[in-house]
C-alpha cells in the first residue's frame, strides 16, 4: 500500500498465520480492485467450525489441538466475513474449506 498499489490486484490468496487472517482482510480489501477476490484457505479448520460445541465429534480428544490452535481465529473470521457488507462471500467445502470474498465497492 505504501507503494500506491491500492485497488490494483485481481486476486489475493491467504494461507498462513491463521490468527492474523482477520487482520489481513482490511488491507487486502484495499489492495484488490472492486470485483477482485480474496481467498482464505482452511476456513473449515478440519470441520471443527461447522460442529456444534455439544457435538460428540467436537468433543473427541482428536479435536483438542485443532481447538487450541486456530479454531477461535477461524470461527471469528468466518462470522466477520459473513457479516461484512463490502464483500460477497462464500465458503467452498473443498479441501479444508476455502472462503472466496468478492469486493463489492
Ligand atoms: C500452508 S503453507 C502455504 C503454502 C503456499 N500457499 C503454497 O501453495 O506454496 C504456509 C506457509 O507460510 C509460512 N508462514 C507461516 N506463518 C507465516 C507468517 N506469519 N508470515 C509469513 N509466512 C508465514 C510457512 O512457513 C509456510 O511456508
Amino acid at each position: 500500500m505504501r507503494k500506491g498499489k491500492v485497488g490494483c490486484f485481481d486476486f489475493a490468496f491467504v494461507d498462513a498465520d491463521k490468527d492474523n487472517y482477520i487482520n489481513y482482510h482490511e488491507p487486502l480489501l484495499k489492495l484488490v480492485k472492486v470485483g477482485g477476490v480474496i481467498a482464505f484457505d482452511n476456513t473449515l479448520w478440519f470441520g471443527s467450525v461447522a460442529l456444534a460445541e455439544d457435538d460428540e465429534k467436537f468433543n473427541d480428544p482428536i479435536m483438542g489441538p485443532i481447538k487450541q490452535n486456530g479454531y477461535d481465529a477461524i470461527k471469528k473470521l468466518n462470522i466477520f466475513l459473513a457479516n461484512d457488507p463490502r464483500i460477497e462471500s462464500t465458503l467452498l467445502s473443498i479441501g479444508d474449506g476455502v472462503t472466496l470474498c468478492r469486493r463489492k465497492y
Side-chain angles (χ1 to χ4, degrees), residues 53-73:
E53 291 186 8
D54 61 356
D55 192 300
E56 205 174 286
K57 283 187 199 156
F58 187 79
N59 293 298
D60 189 293
I62 204 166
M63 282 290 179
I66 292 166
K67 287 190 286 190
Q68 278 162 24
N69 301 294
Y71 173 80
D72 289 336

Side-chain angles (χ1 to χ4, degrees), residues 1 4-12 24-40 81 84-90 99-105:
M1 280 198 284
K5 297 285 188 188
V6 172
C8 286
F9 295 91
D10 294 307
F11 184 75
Y24 300 147
H25 180 61
E26 215 55 43
L28 286 173
L29 206 50
K30 293 187 174 72
L31 289 167
V32 297
K33 54 182 75 168
V34 171
V37 170
I38 305 166
F40 290 95
L81 295 180
D84 186 343
R86 301 167 299 175
I87 56 170
E88 285 179 296
S89 70
T90 189
T99 297
L100 301 180
C101 308
R102 179 181 177 273
R103 182 178 168 191
K104 286 176 16 184
Y105 54 83

Side-chain angles (χ1 to χ4, degrees), residues 13-18 20 24 41-42:
F13 184 57
V14 186
D15 186 24
D17 190 11
K18 311 306 173 199
N20 276 306
Y24 300 147
D41 201 15
N42 308 106

